[in-house]
Amino acid sequence: MDAGTIGVFIPIIALSIPIVAIWTRHQRKMAELQVHTTADATAEKAAQYASKVQALEDRVRVLERIVTEKGYDVATQIEALRDQRRVNDTSGAHHNRDKEAV
């Protein structure tokens, strides 16, 4: 290599260093943003999971209370719920027929 070639490479290298530094800083910022986004999403999912677990625990407590209550006739209550469901299903069917007639 002669002096002219080296003279050309020196400014190219001198200009490349800040460009690489800017690109590296940008990549670091992008990685930090991705980490924050992932952490927020994970925290949100954990909160949703916790609320679902709490709802299930509440339901289990209610079921435990129902089963452990003295004098509670489970079969009668189940039949009452089935009868109530039948009434709701039937009224919904009548409601839908009324809409179709209009």
Side-chain angles (χ1 to χ4, degrees):
M1 269 204 265
D2 62 348
T5 306
I6 293 175
V8 170
F9 280 124
I10 290 175
I12 291 174
I13 292 172
L15 291 174
S16 298
I17 291 173
I19 291 171
V20 169
I22 292 169
W23 179 79
T24 304
R25 193 175 321 125
H26 173 72
Q27 291 298 321
R28 185 177 349 119
K29 285 182 183 178
M30 293 301 292
E32 288 173 3
L33 286 174
Q34 187 172 5
V35 166
H36 290 305
T37 303
T38 303
D40 292 343
T42 302
E44 184 177 323
K45 286 181 182 180
Q48 289 174 352
Y49 178 75
S51 69
K52 287 180 181 179
V53 168
Q54 184 62 44
L56 289 173
E57 287 175 353
D58 293 342
R59 292 178 74 180
V60 168
R61 276 192 210 100
V62 169
L63 291 173
E64 287 174 345
R65 184 178 48 84
I66 289 171
V67 170
T68 57
E69 277 184 4
K70 292 183 181 180
Y72 193 83
D73 188 8
V74 176
T76 304
Q77 293 295 327
I78 291 173
E79 288 303 317
L81 290 172
R82 286 183 181 152
D83 292 340
Q84 184 180 1
R85 181 182 286 169
R86 286 186 199 122
V87 169
N88 288 340
D89 290 343
T90 306
S91 66
H94 289 301
H95 184 66
N96 289 337
R97 280 188 230 141
D98 292 341
K99 282 185 176 179
E100 291 173 5
V102 173

